[in-house]
Amino acid sequence: MEPNTALELVKQGVTLLLLDVPQYTLVGIDTQMFSVGPAFKGIKMIPSASHFLYYSSSTRDGKDFSPIIGFFIHAAPSEVIVPRWDQQQERLVKVSKEEEERYCQAVKSLEFDRQLGPYNLSQCGDWKHLSNYITKSIIEWIEPIGGEIAVACESGIVPNTPKTAMEKALDEQMKSSKFLTSVDNSQSRRCYYTSIPHVIKQKGIHGQELTSLNIDKTQLLESLLIKYYRGSEDMGQSLEGFLQWKALVNLLFGCIEAPFHTRTQLFTEFIKVIYYQLKFGLEKDHSDTSGAATGHLCKDFFSLMLDASSVDGHLLSWTRKLKELLENNLGWEFQLNSVVNGIYFEEDDEFALVVEMLDDPSCKHTLWSSIPLL
């Protein structure tokens, strides 16, 4: 990169100045992770947008790490954000206004430039695809009081819900962690997500009509959009965010009429978001077997789209891309008219057992992701 171009990016970009963060602490922003070294003071050249900053404190030898704490920031061009590490609380805290102004001037004078790691702009496209609908207003709506999203505050929120192997491993890690001696699990520390019922129940509706409402979730989707979003279709790393993701995917993949008639644009954007989430996740871990449940839920949706006589061109195109992604990255073969889950596996396929387990209704809502939605 040309020196003049780099300098302009430093001046126009957002700067995150992290004071007194101990060595070995893991610090991440969006899809990028840094391990703090002796000279590390933060990150520069961050594009102006909504970003997710997260960190994990370490033991002195750098071998054990605490559960991740994170928060969203929505920064303007040339803005400087200055949190300080509190050694007793092992977390980032705000500095005084006077101190913040002093450090902001120092950053703009390039006094810390050599100690700031550059934001990897080549990964900016990945983050844009993953966070396309995370706006400042959405952040303010869902974030916990104080802004911090901590997985440690969410332990035990779904004690009676069936869990995947990944979720069980996380649960065990949380229980055995030496960092969880004094955690505030109060409701105020959790995100304010939209409540999505797993089963539709309405007074005065019984039998076949009630069954139909639960088979086709279109009416539930419409009622949620009207109640919480005034009919708008604009929707937005934590355990609770993961569970919300599963509920949303289950809701939308459970709709039959909405993709064709009332919410075609929403479903086009939804499939596009899911495509990029899974694409990014599968690039990071091709061996994640918990993703098999996505195929279980996708199968009926693929059949619905690909067998229909008339489908919106953009929606059909993104549906085909999602299907190809799962087939190419995981080796799945969607037999859309098959009676065995619509997914074909060899007998010794490592994913076969996972899909067989999904025949159990208790596992039906299991899904995988790394990005929370509203």
Side-chain angles (χ1 to χ4, degrees):
M1 184 183 294
E2 292 291 329
N4 290 340
T5 303
L7 181 59
E8 190 62 24
L9 288 171
V10 169
K11 290 181 177 179
Q12 293 299 319
V14 177
T15 301
L16 185 64
L17 183 64
L18 304 173
L19 303 174
D20 304 331
V21 178
Q23 190 171 353
Y24 303 123
T25 301
L26 297 179
V27 175
I29 182 169
D30 304 338
T31 62
Q32 304 172 36
M33 179 74 80
F34 300 81
S35 179
V36 173
F40 182 85
K41 290 290 184 183
I43 306 165
K44 60 184 177 181
M45 299 167 62
I46 304 170
S48 172
S50 294
H51 298 279
F52 189 63
L53 174 68
Y54 48 100
Y55 57 90
S56 175
S57 60
S58 166
T59 51
R60 291 188 177 184
D61 58 7
K63 292 182 179 180
D64 293 310
F65 297 88
S66 69
I68 287 176
I69 296 175
F71 55 89
F72 282 99
I73 58 174
H74 188 85
S78 303
E79 185 173 345
V80 180
I81 300 170
V82 191
R84 181 188 296 279
W85 186 263
D86 185 296
Q87 192 64 42
Q88 285 190 324
Q89 300 183 59
E90 294 194 334
R91 55 188 284 264
L92 293 171
V93 298
K94 291 182 178 180
V95 298
S96 67
K97 195 67 178 176
E98 181 182 335
E99 195 175 13
E100 183 180 45
E101 290 176 359
R102 187 170 72 249
Y103 278 111
C104 283
Q105 288 301 319
V107 167
K108 291 178 180 180
S109 300
L110 304 181
E111 292 179 27
F112 291 98
D113 192 60
R114 291 183 178 274
Q115 296 165 292
L116 300 173
Y119 184 97
N120 189 342
L121 296 174
S122 67
Q123 295 184 28
C124 189
D126 287 337
W127 176 245
K128 284 183 177 179
H129 286 310
L130 295 171
S131 64
N132 196 30
Y133 297 99
I134 302 177
T135 62
K136 184 178 181 181
S137 60
I138 291 293
I139 294 170
E140 291 172 348
W141 184 1
I142 70 167
E143 67 181 353
I145 295 174
E148 282 188 347
I149 301 172
V151 69
C153 297
E154 299 166 350
S155 58
I157 62 174
V158 283
N160 299 318
T161 302
K163 299 176 183 177
T164 64
M166 181 192 299
E167 291 171 319
K168 289 177 181 177
L170 176 60
D171 217 22
E172 289 302 314
Q173 181 183 2
M174 297 277 288
K175 291 176 182 177
S176 62
S177 176
K178 64 182 71 175
F179 294 92
L180 299 180
T181 53
S182 57
V183 175
D184 178 8
N185 289 322
S186 65
Q187 182 65 39
S188 64
R189 296 294 302 274
R190 289 163 52 184
C191 292
Y192 295 92
Y193 291 116
T194 303
S195 177
I196 302 175
H198 293 292
V199 178
I200 302 173
K201 297 179 181 178
Q202 291 186 13
K203 290 182 178 180
I205 298 179
H206 306 283
Q208 183 61 41
E209 187 178 0
L210 186 60
T211 300
S212 297
L213 287 176
N214 279 280
I215 291 175
D216 181 359
K217 301 291 181 64
T218 297
Q219 185 172 323
L220 174 59
L221 174 63
E222 289 294 331
S223 65
L224 290 173
L225 288 173
I226 292 169
K227 181 178 180 180
Y228 295 105
Y229 307 98
R230 298 179 181 177
S232 171
E233 297 179 354
D234 292 339
M235 298 183 168
Q237 197 167 56
S238 73
L239 175 60
E240 194 171 14
F242 167 52
L243 297 175
Q244 185 73 2
W245 187 93
K246 294 199 296 183
L248 276 170
V249 173
N250 186 54
L251 169 63
L252 272 78
F253 275 147
C255 293
I256 296 175
E257 292 296 323
F260 299 103
H261 304 298
T262 58
R263 297 291 175 179
T264 301
Q265 182 62 31
L266 170 61
F267 273 82
T268 302
E269 298 303 320
F270 163 68
I271 294 297
K272 190 187 299 185
V273 168
I274 293 296
Y275 171 84
Y276 283 115
Q277 288 180 342
L278 293 178
K279 182 174 183 289
F280 179 78
L282 292 172
E283 284 175 354
K284 298 299 179 184
D285 186 2
H286 289 271
S287 63
D288 183 7
T289 60
S290 63
T294 304
H296 179 78
L297 284 180
C298 283
K299 176 257 177 177
D300 288 341
F301 186 81
F302 290 161
S303 294
L304 190 68
M305 293 293 104
L306 301 179
D307 293 344
S309 58
S310 178
V311 186
D312 176 83
H314 291 295
L315 176 56
L316 182 60
S317 174
W318 280 103
T319 299
R320 285 173 173 162
K321 288 186 71 172
L322 177 59
K323 177 175 175 288
E324 290 172 4
L325 174 72
L326 295 173
E327 289 175 334
N328 294 337
N329 285 52
L330 293 178
W332 292 354
E333 294 181 29
F334 288 92
Q335 307 294 326
L336 298 183
N337 295 318
S338 169
V339 295
V340 187
N341 287 331
I343 310 174
Y344 174 76
F345 296 96
E346 298 292 345
E347 288 186 5
D348 60 347
D349 196 308
E350 62 177 317
F351 295 107
L353 178 60
V354 180
V355 175
E356 287 173 10
M357 290 172 63
L358 292 171
D359 287 334
D360 181 345
S362 67
C363 297
K364 189 172 183 180
H365 304 299
T366 304
L367 279 166
W368 172 94
S369 180
S370 60
I371 302 294
L373 299 174
L374 274 185

